[in-house]
């Protein structure tokens, strides 16, 4: 396999193709590029005589094909000009002579340029290696099994290019049928290194030449000895899209800090009139208890809610960190100019009537104005935002004031209101709720970068329908995930959902398979639905990080134990195999007919002391890393008795350094609801009437711990 | 393809094999059975001369192989005794003579018995057809694609044997890679009839001969012309298990009617002592308001809770329909004898200490006593049962009295308590809650048969860990599903869950893939988890049955629209393609920047009249069959205003005969919770903070409607 890379050769070739006005490369051109990048293809050489043919054949692995090369012989086979499966000097030499003789006999006048010596592809496993240009993530490499597996079962995996050698190797294990590559039914394993190297080289090629829109090695024939691309297809882009404006990490943090921790806020369009957005925003700012300066701006009022009003932001005496816009879309551009001249770093654009209603030009206009003045723009088309630790409710929605560790963002206003209601009813402590709307400028990567550093935020949950710059998001996620979990609800997963997303935001909907692989690669926890996103956000900061993979179920209800076991497997965790000594230790506390092993079934009629002893043992034994409790409401151990003892034992053991995640499923009459709330407030994630939810949340914590490199 | 069936030949052959003490058939024996049942295998005949060889070959499709048959020639190929790919009289005749000559030359003394003429298997798609004996469902046929697809990806489907021709044909479409059989990548479609016929014939074989434990046709080579089993493997059972006792439908209904609608109940072990189970049961019966006779039985008391107590059930003057046992396990057998002698038809065994604690003999003893006296046994190891329309709480748990249309059963007591709490907190109207425990006798099929006929029950939800008689359950489900939905939560889905199930009940855990296919085939709605089972049970009776497939989303929140669309696809439904006239009709009510199509995005700032007009249009247009509403909390249309209008419009249109299922997702502050409760009570299935749940419930209703044959 050639190991060199010849960029100049590719550059020259692409220039040539461009000069001819083509975007599609011919097979020989594609082969030249493959050769230049060390992409392994079957060997192929033009031999001028039998000696050369023998020498070329010797350089290839395995048997060869000889083919006459003559502009005057179109139907090579008819002319006796093709021989296959040739091995060894004698065979090749004889075939060479035979072909020349046949060609002469066929057409005595034919100009014979020589004989092409081609390496014969051995039988092997067909796979596909490719690269595409994703509208969200840019250059992406793909790998899948060839033939029906990829076409019918869509068994394919994607990674951001460029990939490292390790990432490329990891792709081989990321398809559903990965086992096949390791050899099944007595078949031999393929050369994984060679296969991974094909992926890496395709990845290098598209990274070096962004104008290459698409590369397809289809099929690659993988054998125990090699991985050769039988066919190489390369297509150039019609045009390379302009990249979205990027800010440095320092720039992002500087402006986001002033947005989320402002000393002063101006409200453009502040109003005394009930029901007006500018009135709601003012009230929420004032009643929310924001301690900084609040400057109402309204050309027609002298004071608003008892505060002096300014005709324009220019008249405001002091420095302003944030200007909240509560005026109709058509007045935004003018006001934004003034904000720019006042050097206000952040404009929060509540108004709708921009790209989401087809007014793309109007939106571009404000983007341009903002860029000119270095104003960062949140929105337009949003409900505003909350920064609870600053007592800041810069929104026309209902106020929210339960300070806590979760930062949430939503692209949609409706989802923002669902976040608000859910947080309030579950008493979820929140550090921020931010509406992103049209994301004309500030988007998830800016906020992720900020929340990653924010000392009040321990978990970030984001609802999104698209990403304006997938790579910037992945970068921000990779920087954040080692510190705190990032949960993403990506709407528009299905074709129908993606279509709805299109009609809603005008954003290009990414292929969900690409999103899924790349978000996972970035260490993000993907929530399957809205309710899961909200529950993960609520519960993840409550749960300590597990120190290992051993999950143990302790249950009073055998039936719950079975369902909790199902949920453990569904959520990618595993039930610990309990060693004999530990088994014995548990059995000492439970009735003789209780079930040993895992789940540990303490049986239903047991008193509080049995729950307490077994939970304590689960917390103290260092081989156990996480506990899943199944409670069964009985007269002997009523719900609040269980809740009190479980919370107390967990607290006592945490104080002793036995810090483990504990989740609980409570089966019982309605008193279990109060018991769950009591437990949740004390660090035990507990739910009534469901065995799935507590385990799903623990699974999310495990996924994060793995992505963050905290589990070995 | 042979169409005849020769049972006598198979009978004789199996007897022969049994006589030899074998359970495994040789390949020639398997071939004889295949021939007897018309299972297509490659043709194979022994020719004594060239004429015969030519005649046999002519009877087969395609080319043949000739092989020398001689006890003195072991290495046929070495002897020049094998020729392949022979076509036409001349080739076959020449090959025949050549092989004989080669054989003679190889060994002049060899006894030559003739030449075997074998049909050559053409290249084609490998598939697997088989039959196994499932511990739960008995004879089950399987179909999958051969090779790595079935081995690595477990892409296989199961059906109860015997299958009809239609069911067999349906199996071809039930695998993930079904498309392959229809031809992909330019490949030809296989002969589906021939393939289905192979399944049907295997199904007939194992049905006719239950002693055949396993049949494997692996691989079957499917081509456009045929489906030939290249290898047939048949294994006999070591022993055929004794079937579980069956009752006729009339017997079941007679005893279940007396169980669920008793005129009198005896409580064996009734007690005046607080905290005793016999005390709780008495209190629940009395306080629950049961209008029939209640007879406490206790040899040591004269009266219990002010009612005359009897020393034994024999002393009770009148007829007794149900005897509830609240005594320790060791006294059950004796008391059950008395119950039998008193001709009480139903024994409800609350006590534990039987099979679930390893006391299998004790359990068998009570089963035998009950059978002898024709007493049906519910339990043991249960919490009892509720029959709300009879004001009957025959349980030691908390009482429940919200009468309604849902019957629930649970194998586990813990899950029973979760049912109780959930029902109470959500005000779910219940017709019955029944604990099944060890299912020593009465099980899901008995109750399903009863609830199917019960006029108070409109939906049945069952938690189960195993089925004692899978076929009886499928029969009962098939009889019930056309009348009302049956929801099943099958615990022990995963290997870990199944292991826990094993440790809990001692029941053999069925392979979940078999359960899944066969429950679906029976028309059962399988709930993925406990909470889903509960929500389906709560919501299905509330929703009218859809009359067609056209689902329309009307949403105030574009963001919810996207998530609702995702959920629609996830739940196997489809968004209606809105015809232009209907699109125009909707657009007339919504702002110009609202999105046309489906979801119908009425946009967030709209007044109640917009919601009302669009919902009404959705209900009145006959082309629309189901509505999914997305509500966004705004000042213009607050939650209760939306709830009131939606409930009113739905009620008005229902009164006019426009009866369609309507579900809603409410995104907003906590007031949406009250709004959801208001809507639910009025027939609109509504949930706060989730886009998934309302759609999942609608999906369950659709699945039932399809299974019940109500959707074309």
């Amino acid at each position: 396999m050639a190991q060199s890379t010849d960029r100049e050769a590719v550059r020259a070739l692409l220039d040539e193709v461009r000069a001819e006005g083509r975007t599609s490369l011919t097979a020989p051109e594609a082969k030249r590029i493959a050769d230049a990048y060390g992409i392994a293809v079957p060997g192929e050489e033009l031999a001028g005589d039998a000696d050369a043919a023998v020498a070329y054949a010797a350089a290839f692995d395995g048997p060869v094909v000889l083919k006459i090369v003559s502009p005057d012989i179109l139907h090579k086979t008819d002319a006796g000009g093709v021989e296959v499966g040739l091995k060894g000097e004698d065979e090749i030499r004889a075939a060479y002579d035979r072909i020349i003789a046949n060609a002469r006999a066929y057409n005595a006048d034919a100009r014979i340029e020589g004989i092409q010596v081609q390496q014969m592809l051995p039988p092997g496993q067909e796979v596909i290696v490719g690269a595409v240009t994703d509208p969200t993530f840019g250059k992406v490499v793909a790998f899948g099994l060839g033939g029906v597996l990829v076409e019918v079962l869509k068994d394919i995996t994607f990674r951001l290019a460029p990939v490292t050698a390790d990432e490329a190797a990891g792709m081989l294990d990321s398809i559903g049928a990965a086992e096949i590559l390791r050899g099944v039914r007595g078949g031999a394993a393929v050369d994984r290194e060679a296969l991974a190297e094909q992926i890496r080289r395709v990845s290098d090629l598209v990274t070096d030449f962004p104008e290459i829109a698409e590369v397809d090695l289809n099929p690659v024939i993988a054998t125990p000895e090699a991985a050769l691309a039988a066919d190489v297809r390369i297509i150039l882009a019609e045009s390379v899209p302009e990249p979205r404006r990027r800010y440095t990490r320092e720039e992002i943090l500087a402006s986001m800090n002033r947005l989320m921790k402002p000393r002063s806020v101006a409200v453009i369009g502040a109003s005394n009139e009930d029901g007006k957005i500018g009135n709601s925003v003012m009230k929420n700012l004032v009643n929310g208890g924001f301690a900084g300066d609040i400057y109402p701006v309204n050309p027609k009022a002298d004071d608003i809610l008892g505060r002096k009003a300014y005709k324009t932001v220019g008249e405001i005496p002091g420095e302003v960190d944030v200007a909240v816009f509560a005026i109709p879309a058509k007045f935004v551009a003018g006001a934004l100019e003034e904000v720019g001249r006042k050097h206000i770093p952040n404009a929060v654009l509540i108004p709708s009537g921009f790209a989401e209603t087809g007014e793309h030009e109007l939106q571009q206009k404000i983007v341009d104005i903002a860029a000119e003045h270095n104003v960062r723009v949140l929105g337009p088309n949003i409900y505003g935002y909350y920064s609870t630790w600053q007592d800041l409710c810069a929104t026309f929605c209902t106020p929210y004031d339960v300070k806590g560790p979760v930062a949430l963002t939503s692209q949609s206003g409706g989802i923002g209101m669902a976040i608000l209601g859910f947080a309030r009813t579950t008493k979820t402590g929140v550090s921020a709720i931010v509406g992103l709307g049209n994301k004309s400028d500030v988007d998830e990567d800016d906020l992720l970068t900020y929340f990653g550093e924010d000392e009040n935020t321990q978990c970030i949950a984001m609802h999104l329908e698209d990403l304006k710059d997938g790579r910037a998001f992945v970068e921000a996620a990779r920087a954040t995930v080692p510190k705190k979990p990032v949960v993403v609800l990506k709407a528009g997963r299905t074709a129908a959902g993606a279509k709805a997303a299109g009609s809603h935001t005008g954003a290009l909907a990414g292929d969900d398979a690409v999103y899924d692989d790349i978000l996972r690669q970035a260490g993000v926890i993907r929530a399957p639905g809205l309710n899961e996103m909200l529950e993960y956000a609520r519960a993840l900061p409550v749960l300590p990080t597990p120190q290992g993979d051993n999950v143990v179920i302790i249950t009073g209800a055998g039936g719950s134990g079975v369902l909790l076991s199902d949920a453990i497997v569904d959520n990618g965790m595993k039930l610990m195999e309990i060693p004999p000594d530990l088994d014995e230790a548990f059995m000492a506390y439970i009735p003789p007919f209780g079930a040993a092993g895992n789940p540990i079934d303490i049986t239903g009629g047991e008193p509080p002391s049995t729950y307490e002893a077994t939970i304590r043992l689960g917390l103290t034994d260092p081989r156990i890393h996480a506990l899943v409790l199944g409670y069964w409401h009985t007269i002997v151990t009523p719900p609040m008795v269980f809740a009190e003892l479980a919370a107390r034992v967990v607290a006592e053991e945490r104080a002793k350094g036995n810090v483990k995640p504990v989740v609980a499923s409570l089966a019982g009459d309605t008193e279990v609801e109060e018991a769950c709330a009591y437990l949740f407030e004390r660090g035990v994630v507990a739910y009534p009437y469901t065995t799935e939810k507590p385990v799903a949340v623990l699974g999310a914590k495990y996924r994060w711990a793995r992505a963050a490199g905290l589990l070995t």
Side-chain angles (χ1 to χ4, degrees), chain A:
Chain A
M1 192 182 298
Q3 294 297 323
S4 62
T5 314
D6 186 349
R7 289 185 200 199
E8 292 67 31
V10 176
R11 180 72 273 149
L13 196 152
L14 294 184
D15 287 346
E16 218 172 275
V17 173
R18 287 279 188 211
E20 290 173 23
R22 285 187 290 135
T23 53
S24 186
L25 273 65
T26 64
E29 285 166 350
K31 187 185 177 307
R32 277 164 59 198
I33 290 184
D35 286 344
Y37 264 73
I39 294 165
V41 295
E44 191 181 288
E45 297 286 353
L46 184 64
D49 55 36
D51 287 344
V54 168
Y56 290 140
F60 305 149
D61 281 335
V64 296
V65 183
L66 297 193
K67 286 183 191 168
I68 189 78
V69 178
S70 161
D72 304 311
I73 300 178
L74 291 180
H75 302 289
K76 297 182 173 73
T77 308
D78 292 353
V82 179
E83 296 209 16
V84 305
L86 306 166
K87 280 177 286 190
E89 176 166 353
D90 294 349
E91 266 186 47
I92 290 163
R93 200 172 288 280
Y96 192 99
D97 294 342
R98 224 164 21 237
I99 288 173
I100 297 289
N102 288 345
R104 297 248 175 268
Y106 183 76
N107 178 352
D109 299 333
R111 293 162 293 172
I112 292 172
E113 295 178 356
I115 286 185
Q116 196 172 43
V117 185
Q118 281 183 336
Q119 186 177 11
M120 264 185 84
L121 274 172
Q125 178 64 49
E126 280 191 21
V127 304
I128 291 175
V129 172
V132 293
T133 308
D134 183 83
T136 301
F137 295 101
K139 300 303 175 196
V140 161
V141 286
F143 170 74
L145 285 207
V148 294
L149 278 158
V150 70
E151 286 185 30
V152 175
L153 299 176
K154 318 289 180 216
D155 188 13
I156 191 161
T157 189
F158 300 92
R159 293 290 185 282
L160 282 188
V163 289
T164 63
D166 277 355
E167 284 169 341
M171 290 178 81
L172 307 192
D173 282 326
S174 297
I175 56 170
E179 212 180 317
I180 291 173
L181 300 176
R182 299 197 177 271
V184 286
R185 304 180 94 203
V190 305
D191 182 341
R192 301 173 70 81
E193 266 181 53
L195 204 43
E197 186 65 9
Q198 292 284 63
I199 298 170
R200 210 182 57 72
R201 289 184 174 259
V202 166
S203 155
D204 283 354
L205 173 64
V206 295
T207 303
D208 290 348
F209 296 93
E211 67 201 280
I212 297 182
E214 218 175 296
V215 177
D216 250 349
L217 314 189
N218 183 14
V220 173
I221 306 295
T223 64
E225 293 82 29
L228 298 177
D231 194 33
V232 181
R233 198 164 156 262
I234 294 175
I235 295 171
L236 304 185
E238 297 286 347
S239 64
V240 177
E242 219 169 301
R244 191 170 159 98
R245 180 170 175 178
R246 286 279 188 104
Y247 297 87
T248 66
R249 188 174 170 80
E250 288 64 38
E251 286 169 339
I252 291 170
L253 287 174
S255 58
M256 290 302 113
N257 259 305
R258 289 185 69 182
L259 177 70
M260 300 306 293
K261 295 175 179 171
R263 283 156 304 173
S264 54
V265 176
V267 179
I268 299 172
S271 167
N272 280 315
E273 198 179 324
D274 254 355
K276 288 245 175 195
I277 284 179
N279 179 262
S280 299
V281 173
M282 276 301 294
K283 277 187 192 157
N284 282 332
L285 279 172
V286 172
N287 301 339
F290 179 59
D293 295 316
I294 304 171
Y295 301 114
V297 178
N298 186 328
K300 294 176 191 153
D302 291 330
D303 66 286
I304 296 201
L305 301 188
R307 287 166 194 251
K308 174 178 165 49
Y310 298 88
K311 302 255 176 284
T312 71
V313 290
E315 289 181 9
I316 297 172
E319 213 178 20
V320 178
D321 286 328
V322 175
V324 180
F325 285 58
I327 52 177
K330 59 184 169 185
F331 301 126
V332 167
L336 189 57
E337 284 279 6
E338 290 171 25
V339 163
R341 283 196 294 270
K342 172 77 181 162
H343 301 298
I344 301 176
N346 291 291
V348 174
L349 304 190
I350 290 177
S352 52
F354 294 90
E356 88 286 1
T357 61
E359 301 290 343
H360 295 280
E361 276 181 34
L362 190 56
Q363 183 162 316
Q364 189 54 49
K365 191 173 167 188
I366 61 155
V367 169
D368 292 343
I369 294 169
E372 191 191 327
H373 294 284
N374 281 314
V375 179
R376 297 298 310 263
V377 172
L378 183 67
N381 185 30
I382 59 170
Y383 49 88
Y385 73 112
Y386 300 80
S387 187
T388 55
W389 293 90
Q390 312 301 316
D391 300 315
L392 180 76
C393 301
T395 161
F396 60 87
C397 299
T398 41
Y400 191 73
D401 60 3
V402 183
K403 297 177 177 65
V406 187
L408 299 116
T409 74
S410 76
Q411 187 159 352
S412 142
I415 304 307
M417 280 304 288
I419 290 172
L420 201 67
F422 175 87
R424 200 185 302 281
T425 200
T426 58
K427 301 192 182 70
T428 299
V430 157
S431 63
I433 304 177
V434 183
L436 280 164
N438 293 7
K439 301 195 280 198
S440 70
D441 173 19
V442 172
D443 60 6
E444 288 83 359
D445 42 278
D446 297 302
L447 288 166
L448 205 45
T449 302
Y450 169 75
F451 289 131
E453 297 293 331
D454 179 30
E455 69 283 6
N456 290 320
T457 298
Q458 288 169 33
C459 174
I460 302 144
M462 302 182 140
H463 157 266
L464 53 95
E465 293 173 357
D466 65 353
L467 288 169
K468 298 299 180 192
D469 183 342
R471 290 195 166 240
F473 180 82
V474 168
E475 262 173 49
R478 283 183 174 157
T480 308
V481 165
K483 291 179 282 186
K484 38 194 103 170
V486 178
V487 178
V488 165
L489 170 62
K490 166 70 174 70
R493 275 183 299 113
T494 62
K499 190 183 151 203
S503 75
H504 180 47
T505 65
L508 263 166
D511 177 351
D512 192 66
V514 176
Y515 262 98
D516 201 57
D517 277 342
I518 290 177
L519 290 183
R520 193 180 306 116
Q521 199 189 354
V524 160
I525 301 164
R526 194 161 177 193
L530 174 57
N531 194 252
E532 285 91 347
M533 178 186 86
L534 296 170
E535 290 293 0
Y536 293 176
R538 177 187 176 208
L540 287 182
V542 171
L543 287 177
T545 305
Q547 302 301 309
D549 282 325
N550 287 334
V551 180
V552 167
I553 298 172
I554 297 173
T555 185
S560 295
V562 182
L563 291 167
L564 291 167
S565 300
D566 282 346
I568 295 241
V569 174
D570 287 345
N571 284 282
M573 292 171 286
K574 58 175 194 187
L575 284 176
M576 178 186 184
E577 299 264 356
I578 311 272
D581 68 301
L582 189 52
D583 208 45
E584 231 173 89
F586 274 114
M587 284 305 287
Y589 296 122
I590 67 182
F593 51 87
N598 191 1
I600 294 154
D601 184 356
I602 68 168
T603 77
E606 289 298 293
S609 58
T610 308
Y611 276 108
E612 179 160 348
T614 48
I615 295 170
R616 197 181 296 279
L617 178 54
L619 290 170
T620 47
D621 192 284
R623 291 165 290 184
I624 298 174
H625 303 120
L627 289 186
V628 177
L629 308 181
Y631 164 75
W632 179 7
H633 186 162
T634 62
I635 305 172
V636 188
T637 307
M640 280 309 295
V641 170
F642 168 76
E644 185 281 325
L645 81 85
R648 179 171 42 76
V649 172
V650 167
E652 285 167 5
E653 292 304 324
R654 281 195 190 166
K656 290 184 204 157
N658 293 320
V659 184
K660 301 176 184 180
V662 181
V663 302
S665 162
L666 274 63
D669 211 333
T670 50
E671 294 160 56
V672 296
E673 296 176 28
E674 187 196 347
C676 284
Y678 181 93
L679 283 165
F680 220 114
E681 279 166 27
R682 285 157 185 82
V684 176
V685 167
Y687 295 96
Y689 322 130
T690 168
T691 45
E692 301 79 33
K693 236 180 225 188
V695 178
V697 165
L698 181 63
K701 191 85 192 192
Y702 262 101
R703 272 187 281 161
W704 170 68
R706 273 190 209 105
L710 301 172
L711 272 182
T712 41

